Amino acid sequence: GLRQCSMRQSSDHPIRQEPCRNNRGYFRYSCNFQSLEVEHPSTNGGEWYKTVRQRTINGYGGTTMKFTHDAIVIGGGAAGLTAAGGVALFGLKSVLIEGHKMGGECLNNGCVPSKALITAAKRAQEARTETRHGVTLAAPKVAWSGVHKHIHDAIAHIEPHDSVETFEEMGVEVIQDWATVTGKHTVEVGGRTLSAPRIVIATGSKPFVPPIEGLDSVPYLTNENLFDLTEQPDHLIIVGGGVIGM
């Protein structure tokens, strides 16, 4: 039921092609190494047709390899969620592997909590200028328990958008485990061997602890535990001038 379509390969990327469309909303993708047949969503109330694929790749020596997925994404942070969700919304079969917290650094110990902290700090700083524009404010009284709650309320507000359930509803298979890349097209996770023509590694980073003499003998914080403090510190020395440090 799929019409033969002519393809044009981009000169800067030999894989990117422009498929034509038949009157049933189907697309056919093909190129010199991969053949995919994908039934895209119908326009009837957004109902999805069942996706039918032939996931194969011609390897060296003319051998053929069959895949379990169209794309494997390792890492459930901002980049990985976008990649896995985008692939699924195109009607392809994607799997997202996350060994820790969904949402990654941005949601849990980066963008979201740091901006929540900045918002609370800005409110306190404004009140320290007691008189402005003819209006006098009382000096600020900071309740750290309230600041802590504000930070974690901000995380909780966004958390459902990055949840396993949300991405499963989008059609993404989500595996909460640690992955090992075992080949050009294969990944081992939870006792399973997954394969795909594309593997996206979006594992992010972790805090670098500089080799400062004596640092290992005193307690120190990183962005991974700073936002869990339940008591306000009297002072902080910040090492690092990146966006979180600032």
Side-chain angles (χ1 to χ4, degrees):
L2 295 181
R3 184 179 62 183
Q4 180 63 42
C5 303
S6 60
M7 301 294 174
R8 297 200 305 271
Q9 290 193 357
S10 168
S11 59
D12 62 336
H13 198 304
I15 300 169
R16 190 174 66 200
Q17 301 178 341
E18 300 175 13
C20 65
R21 179 174 182 172
N22 65 19
N23 57 8
R24 296 181 63 191
Y26 296 165
F27 291 81
R28 174 185 287 258
Y29 298 84
S30 65
C31 57
N32 60 348
F33 72 94
Q34 183 178 356
S35 173
L36 296 177
E37 293 184 0
V38 181
E39 296 184 5
H40 274 239
S42 71
T43 56
N44 181 17
E47 179 185 358
W48 287 87
Y49 285 106
K50 181 180 179 182
T51 301
V52 180
R53 299 177 186 81
Q54 178 189 356
R55 291 182 293 274
T56 64
I57 185 167
N58 293 325
Y60 293 103
T63 59
T64 299
M65 178 178 180
K66 292 186 178 181
F67 298 113
T68 61
H69 297 80
D70 296 310
I72 299 170
V73 181
I74 305 174
L81 295 176
T82 301
V87 168
L89 290 177
F90 274 113
L92 301 175
K93 187 176 182 181
S94 66
V95 57
L96 174 66
I97 305 169
E98 171 55 55
H100 191 40
K101 294 180 179 180
M102 292 288 286
E105 180 180 274
C106 181
L107 173 62
N108 298 289
N109 43 50
C111 313
V112 174
S114 65
K115 302 309 178 290
L117 178 62
I118 288 172
T119 300
K122 182 179 180 181
R123 185 172 177 85
Q125 182 61 26
E126 288 174 346
R128 290 189 179 100
T129 304
E130 294 184 0
T131 302
R132 179 181 294 172
H133 309 307
V135 178
T136 300
L137 303 177
K141 294 182 179 180
V142 177
W144 185 256
S145 60
V147 175
H148 181 271
K149 182 179 184 302
H150 168 65
I151 291 171
H152 288 271
D153 282 350
I155 295 173
H157 178 71
I158 297 175
E159 205 167 32
H161 300 285
D162 294 350
S163 67
V164 171
E165 294 76 14
T166 294
F167 279 81
E168 286 179 340
E169 288 177 2
M170 294 169 63
V172 179
E173 179 185 359
V174 181
I175 300 175
Q176 294 184 282
D177 206 339
W178 300 97
T180 302
V181 178
T182 55
K184 186 177 180 180
H185 300 287
T186 56
V187 170
E188 296 282 346
V189 58
R192 296 171 58 189
T193 299
L194 309 180
S195 58
R198 292 289 181 268
I199 299 174
V200 179
I201 299 177
T203 51
S205 62
K206 62 181 180 180
F208 171 71
V209 180
I212 299 175
E213 185 177 354
L215 182 60
D216 57 354
S217 63
V218 298
Y220 61 85
L221 300 167
T222 70
N223 66 299
E224 291 186 342
N225 55 12
L226 171 65
F227 302 109
D228 292 329
L229 289 178
T230 56
E231 295 183 6
Q232 181 180 355
D234 294 329
H235 65 276
L236 282 175
I237 298 174
I238 309 297
V239 180
V243 291
I244 296 178
M246 289 191 289

